[in-house]
Short mmCIF file of all heavy atoms in Angstrom, two decimals:
data_model
loop_
_atom_site.label_atom_id
_atom_site.label_comp_id
_atom_site.label_asym_id
_atom_site.label_seq_id
_atom_site.Cartn_x
_atom_site.Cartn_y
_atom_site.Cartn_z
N ALA A 6 5.86 7.64 9.94
CA ALA A 6 6.77 6.77 9.16
C ALA A 6 7.49 7.61 8.05
O ALA A 6 8.67 7.39 7.71
CB ALA A 6 6.08 5.62 8.52
N GLY A 7 6.77 8.65 7.53
CA GLY A 7 7.34 9.44 6.46
C GLY A 7 8.01 10.68 6.97
O GLY A 7 9.02 11.13 6.37
N GLY A 8 7.52 11.30 8.06
CA GLY A 8 8.10 12.56 8.53
C GLY A 8 9.27 12.40 9.43
O GLY A 8 10.25 13.12 9.32
N ALA A 9 9.21 11.43 10.35
CA ALA A 9 10.31 11.23 11.25
C ALA A 9 10.33 9.75 11.68
O ALA A 9 9.94 9.39 12.77
CB ALA A 9 10.13 12.09 12.53
N PRO A 10 10.83 8.86 10.76
CA PRO A 10 10.80 7.46 10.98
C PRO A 10 11.52 6.96 12.19
O PRO A 10 11.05 6.10 12.94
CB PRO A 10 11.39 6.83 9.75
CG PRO A 10 12.15 7.94 9.07
CD PRO A 10 11.51 9.22 9.41
N ASP A 11 12.69 7.56 12.49
CA ASP A 11 13.47 7.14 13.65
C ASP A 11 12.75 7.48 14.95
O ASP A 11 12.71 6.68 15.87
CB ASP A 11 14.82 7.78 13.62
CG ASP A 11 15.72 7.28 12.47
OD1 ASP A 11 15.49 6.12 12.10
OD2 ASP A 11 16.61 8.06 12.00
N ALA A 12 12.24 8.72 15.06
CA ALA A 12 11.51 9.10 16.19
C ALA A 12 10.21 8.27 16.38
O ALA A 12 9.87 7.90 17.53
CB ALA A 12 11.08 10.57 16.09
N ALA A 13 9.57 8.01 15.27
CA ALA A 13 8.32 7.17 15.33
C ALA A 13 8.67 5.78 15.84
O ALA A 13 7.88 5.19 16.64
CB ALA A 13 7.72 7.12 13.92
N ARG A 14 9.80 5.22 15.31
CA ARG A 14 10.18 3.88 15.76
C ARG A 14 10.54 3.83 17.24
O ARG A 14 10.14 2.88 17.92
CB ARG A 14 11.39 3.47 14.93
CG ARG A 14 11.69 1.94 15.00
CD ARG A 14 12.86 1.60 14.03
NE ARG A 14 12.47 1.75 12.67
CZ ARG A 14 12.88 2.70 11.83
NH1 ARG A 14 13.71 3.62 12.27
NH2 ARG A 14 12.49 2.72 10.60
N ASN A 15 11.14 4.91 17.78
CA ASN A 15 11.43 4.95 19.17
C ASN A 15 10.23 5.06 20.01
O ASN A 15 10.23 4.71 21.23
CB ASN A 15 12.38 6.22 19.42
CG ASN A 15 13.73 6.03 18.81
OD1 ASN A 15 14.23 4.89 18.63
ND2 ASN A 15 14.41 7.11 18.54
N LEU A 16 9.12 5.60 19.47
CA LEU A 16 7.85 5.70 20.20
C LEU A 16 6.99 4.44 20.06
O LEU A 16 5.84 4.39 20.52
CB LEU A 16 7.02 6.94 19.66
CG LEU A 16 7.67 8.29 19.99
CD1 LEU A 16 6.86 9.37 19.31
CD2 LEU A 16 7.64 8.48 21.50
N GLY A 17 7.50 3.43 19.38
CA GLY A 17 6.80 2.15 19.31
C GLY A 17 5.99 2.00 18.02
O GLY A 17 5.25 1.03 17.91
N VAL A 18 6.12 2.90 17.08
CA VAL A 18 5.39 2.77 15.83
C VAL A 18 6.02 1.67 14.96
O VAL A 18 7.28 1.72 14.68
CB VAL A 18 5.40 4.08 15.02
CG1 VAL A 18 4.74 3.95 13.66
CG2 VAL A 18 4.73 5.18 15.80
N PRO A 19 5.24 0.69 14.45
CA PRO A 19 5.81 -0.35 13.69
C PRO A 19 6.01 0.13 12.26
O PRO A 19 5.26 -0.20 11.31
CB PRO A 19 4.74 -1.48 13.72
CG PRO A 19 3.43 -0.71 13.96
CD PRO A 19 3.79 0.49 14.76
N VAL A 20 7.05 0.89 12.02
CA VAL A 20 7.30 1.55 10.76
C VAL A 20 7.37 0.53 9.62
O VAL A 20 6.81 0.75 8.50
CB VAL A 20 8.54 2.41 10.85
CG1 VAL A 20 8.91 3.02 9.47
CG2 VAL A 20 8.39 3.56 11.85
N ARG A 21 8.08 -0.49 9.81
CA ARG A 21 8.20 -1.51 8.75
C ARG A 21 6.93 -2.12 8.32
O ARG A 21 6.61 -2.20 7.12
CB ARG A 21 9.19 -2.60 9.21
CG ARG A 21 10.64 -2.14 9.29
CD ARG A 21 11.53 -3.34 9.54
NE ARG A 21 12.93 -2.96 9.54
CZ ARG A 21 13.96 -3.85 9.65
NH1 ARG A 21 13.70 -5.15 9.80
NH2 ARG A 21 15.20 -3.41 9.61
N ARG A 22 6.13 -2.49 9.31
CA ARG A 22 4.80 -3.10 8.96
C ARG A 22 3.88 -2.09 8.32
O ARG A 22 3.13 -2.48 7.44
CB ARG A 22 4.16 -3.65 10.23
CG ARG A 22 4.73 -5.00 10.71
CD ARG A 22 3.97 -5.57 11.89
NE ARG A 22 4.28 -4.81 13.09
CZ ARG A 22 3.63 -4.92 14.23
NH1 ARG A 22 2.58 -5.73 14.28
NH2 ARG A 22 3.99 -4.25 15.29
N VAL A 23 3.90 -0.86 8.74
CA VAL A 23 3.12 0.16 8.08
C VAL A 23 3.52 0.33 6.61
O VAL A 23 2.58 0.32 5.76
CB VAL A 23 3.32 1.55 8.79
CG1 VAL A 23 2.67 2.69 7.99
CG2 VAL A 23 2.72 1.53 10.20
N LYS A 24 4.76 0.34 6.30
CA LYS A 24 5.19 0.52 4.90
C LYS A 24 4.85 -0.71 4.10
O LYS A 24 4.38 -0.56 2.92
CB LYS A 24 6.66 0.80 4.85
CG LYS A 24 7.03 2.15 5.44
CD LYS A 24 8.48 2.54 5.21
CE LYS A 24 8.76 3.96 5.71
NZ LYS A 24 10.16 4.40 5.43
N ILE A 25 5.00 -1.91 4.63
CA ILE A 25 4.67 -3.10 3.86
C ILE A 25 3.15 -3.11 3.57
O ILE A 25 2.73 -3.45 2.45
CB ILE A 25 5.07 -4.37 4.67
CG1 ILE A 25 6.60 -4.50 4.72
CG2 ILE A 25 4.46 -5.66 4.01
CD1 ILE A 25 7.06 -5.65 5.57
N ALA A 26 2.34 -2.74 4.55
CA ALA A 26 0.90 -2.67 4.35
C ALA A 26 0.51 -1.73 3.29
O ALA A 26 -0.40 -1.97 2.43
CB ALA A 26 0.18 -2.30 5.65
N LEU A 27 1.18 -0.58 3.22
CA LEU A 27 0.88 0.42 2.21
C LEU A 27 1.33 -0.02 0.82
O LEU A 27 0.62 0.28 -0.18
CB LEU A 27 1.56 1.76 2.59
CG LEU A 27 1.00 2.41 3.80
CD1 LEU A 27 1.79 3.69 4.16
CD2 LEU A 27 -0.46 2.82 3.61
N PHE A 28 2.42 -0.77 0.72
CA PHE A 28 2.87 -1.30 -0.58
C PHE A 28 1.77 -2.32 -1.07
O PHE A 28 1.45 -2.34 -2.25
CB PHE A 28 4.19 -1.95 -0.49
CG PHE A 28 5.36 -1.07 -0.65
CD1 PHE A 28 6.14 -0.71 0.43
CD2 PHE A 28 5.69 -0.54 -1.94
CE1 PHE A 28 7.27 0.16 0.24
CE2 PHE A 28 6.73 0.28 -2.09
CZ PHE A 28 7.58 0.66 -1.01
N MET A 29 1.27 -3.06 -0.14
CA MET A 29 0.26 -4.09 -0.54
C MET A 29 -1.05 -3.34 -0.95
O MET A 29 -1.72 -3.78 -1.90
CB MET A 29 -0.08 -4.99 0.67
CG MET A 29 1.15 -5.86 1.04
SD MET A 29 0.84 -6.87 2.56
CE MET A 29 -0.42 -8.00 1.98
N MET A 30 -1.33 -2.26 -0.33
CA MET A 30 -2.56 -1.47 -0.69
C MET A 30 -2.42 -0.87 -2.08
O MET A 30 -3.39 -0.90 -2.84
CB MET A 30 -2.77 -0.34 0.33
CG MET A 30 -4.03 0.40 0.18
SD MET A 30 -4.21 1.82 1.27
CE MET A 30 -4.06 0.94 2.86
N THR A 31 -1.23 -0.32 -2.40
CA THR A 31 -1.08 0.23 -3.78
C THR A 31 -1.23 -0.87 -4.87
O THR A 31 -1.88 -0.66 -5.85
CB THR A 31 0.22 0.92 -3.93
OG1 THR A 31 1.36 -0.02 -3.65
CG2 THR A 31 0.37 2.09 -3.02
N SER A 32 -0.67 -2.04 -4.61
CA SER A 32 -0.81 -3.15 -5.54
C SER A 32 -2.24 -3.60 -5.70
O SER A 32 -2.73 -3.94 -6.79
CB SER A 32 0.07 -4.31 -5.20
OG SER A 32 1.49 -3.98 -5.35
N LEU A 33 -2.97 -3.64 -4.56
CA LEU A 33 -4.35 -4.03 -4.61
C LEU A 33 -5.25 -3.09 -5.33
O LEU A 33 -6.12 -3.47 -6.11
CB LEU A 33 -4.85 -4.23 -3.17
CG LEU A 33 -6.31 -4.75 -2.96
CD1 LEU A 33 -6.42 -6.15 -3.60
CD2 LEU A 33 -6.71 -4.79 -1.55
N CYS A 34 -4.96 -1.82 -5.16
CA CYS A 34 -5.71 -0.77 -5.91
C CYS A 34 -5.41 -0.88 -7.40
O CYS A 34 -6.26 -0.67 -8.25
CB CYS A 34 -5.41 0.63 -5.40
SG CYS A 34 -6.20 1.01 -3.81
N ALA A 35 -4.15 -1.19 -7.78
CA ALA A 35 -3.84 -1.46 -9.17
C ALA A 35 -4.62 -2.61 -9.76
O ALA A 35 -5.11 -2.53 -10.88
CB ALA A 35 -2.31 -1.66 -9.31
N CYS A 36 -4.76 -3.63 -8.94
CA CYS A 36 -5.56 -4.82 -9.33
C CYS A 36 -7.03 -4.41 -9.52
O CYS A 36 -7.67 -4.89 -10.47
CB CYS A 36 -5.40 -5.93 -8.32
SG CYS A 36 -6.34 -7.35 -8.72
N LEU A 37 -7.51 -3.56 -8.70
CA LEU A 37 -8.94 -3.11 -8.82
C LEU A 37 -9.11 -2.35 -10.11
O LEU A 37 -10.12 -2.54 -10.79
CB LEU A 37 -9.29 -2.22 -7.64
CG LEU A 37 -10.75 -1.67 -7.56
CD1 LEU A 37 -11.72 -2.80 -7.55
CD2 LEU A 37 -10.89 -0.76 -6.35
N ILE A 38 -8.17 -1.47 -10.49
CA ILE A 38 -8.24 -0.73 -11.73
C ILE A 38 -8.22 -1.72 -12.88
O ILE A 38 -8.96 -1.62 -13.88
CB ILE A 38 -7.04 0.25 -11.85
CG1 ILE A 38 -7.07 1.23 -10.74
CG2 ILE A 38 -7.16 0.98 -13.21
CD1 ILE A 38 -8.37 1.99 -10.53
N ALA A 39 -7.38 -2.77 -12.82
CA ALA A 39 -7.30 -3.79 -13.86
C ALA A 39 -8.63 -4.48 -13.97
O ALA A 39 -9.05 -4.81 -15.17
CB ALA A 39 -6.17 -4.77 -13.53
N THR A 40 -9.27 -4.77 -12.88
CA THR A 40 -10.59 -5.39 -12.92
C THR A 40 -11.65 -4.52 -13.61
O THR A 40 -12.44 -5.03 -14.45
CB THR A 40 -11.10 -5.76 -11.46
OG1 THR A 40 -10.03 -6.56 -10.89
CG2 THR A 40 -12.39 -6.53 -11.56
N PHE A 41 -11.67 -3.26 -13.28
CA PHE A 41 -12.54 -2.37 -13.95
C PHE A 41 -12.37 -2.39 -15.47
O PHE A 41 -13.34 -2.53 -16.21
CB PHE A 41 -12.31 -0.90 -13.51
CG PHE A 41 -12.89 -0.56 -12.17
CD1 PHE A 41 -12.08 0.05 -11.21
CD2 PHE A 41 -14.20 -0.87 -11.82
CE1 PHE A 41 -12.55 0.38 -9.95
CE2 PHE A 41 -14.67 -0.58 -10.59
CZ PHE A 41 -13.91 0.06 -9.62
N GLN A 42 -11.11 -2.31 -15.89
CA GLN A 42 -10.82 -2.27 -17.32
C GLN A 42 -11.08 -3.59 -18.00
O GLN A 42 -11.64 -3.62 -19.14
CB GLN A 42 -9.34 -1.83 -17.50
CG GLN A 42 -9.10 -0.43 -17.02
CD GLN A 42 -7.65 -0.01 -17.20
OE1 GLN A 42 -6.84 -0.78 -17.60
NE2 GLN A 42 -7.35 1.26 -16.98
N ALA A 43 -10.75 -4.71 -17.39
CA ALA A 43 -10.96 -5.97 -17.99
C ALA A 43 -12.38 -6.31 -18.16
O ALA A 43 -12.82 -6.84 -19.23
CB ALA A 43 -10.23 -7.14 -17.15
N VAL A 44 -13.19 -5.96 -17.17
CA VAL A 44 -14.63 -6.29 -17.26
C VAL A 44 -15.29 -5.31 -18.28
O VAL A 44 -16.16 -5.71 -19.06
CB VAL A 44 -15.30 -6.12 -15.88
CG1 VAL A 44 -16.83 -6.29 -15.95
CG2 VAL A 44 -14.75 -7.17 -14.90
N LYS A 45 -14.88 -4.05 -18.29
CA LYS A 45 -15.47 -3.08 -19.17
C LYS A 45 -15.15 -3.42 -20.66
O LYS A 45 -16.01 -3.32 -21.49
CB LYS A 45 -14.97 -1.68 -18.80
CG LYS A 45 -15.53 -0.57 -19.71
CD LYS A 45 -15.25 0.79 -19.13
CE LYS A 45 -13.75 1.06 -18.98
NZ LYS A 45 -13.47 2.44 -18.47
N PHE A 46 -13.84 -3.71 -20.90
CA PHE A 46 -13.47 -4.04 -22.29
C PHE A 46 -13.48 -5.49 -22.63
O PHE A 46 -13.06 -5.88 -23.72
CB PHE A 46 -12.09 -3.48 -22.50
CG PHE A 46 -11.96 -1.95 -22.31
CD1 PHE A 46 -11.17 -1.46 -21.29
CD2 PHE A 46 -12.65 -1.04 -23.11
CE1 PHE A 46 -11.06 -0.07 -21.18
CE2 PHE A 46 -12.63 0.28 -22.96
CZ PHE A 46 -11.79 0.78 -21.91
N THR A 47 -13.93 -6.38 -21.75
CA THR A 47 -14.06 -7.80 -21.87
C THR A 47 -12.73 -8.44 -22.28
O THR A 47 -12.72 -9.35 -23.13
CB THR A 47 -15.17 -8.15 -22.89
OG1 THR A 47 -14.78 -7.76 -24.23
CG2 THR A 47 -16.48 -7.50 -22.54
N GLY A 48 -11.67 -7.99 -21.74
CA GLY A 48 -10.37 -8.57 -22.05
C GLY A 48 -9.22 -7.77 -21.50
O GLY A 48 -9.40 -6.80 -20.73
#
């Protein structure tokens, strides 16, 4: 998806779904960091 998206798409790689899943993963990890900090600092 990052190196050759058009070629990957032609080979059947669901490039759009891969990228959406990765955006969701980054946001989820940000939420995890927020949880660490909120619980540690109680606010």
Side-chain angles (χ1 to χ4, degrees):
D11 292 333
R14 194 175 292 110
N15 292 335
L16 291 174
V18 174
V20 173
R21 290 188 174 186
R22 282 185 288 169
V23 168
K24 292 188 176 185
I25 291 174
L27 292 175
F28 274 109
M29 294 174 71
M30 187 184 302
T31 57
S32 290
L33 185 61
C34 284
C36 180
L37 181 59
I38 302 306
T40 304
F41 284 130
Q42 296 181 352
V44 175
K45 179 168 61 177
F46 299 118
T47 67

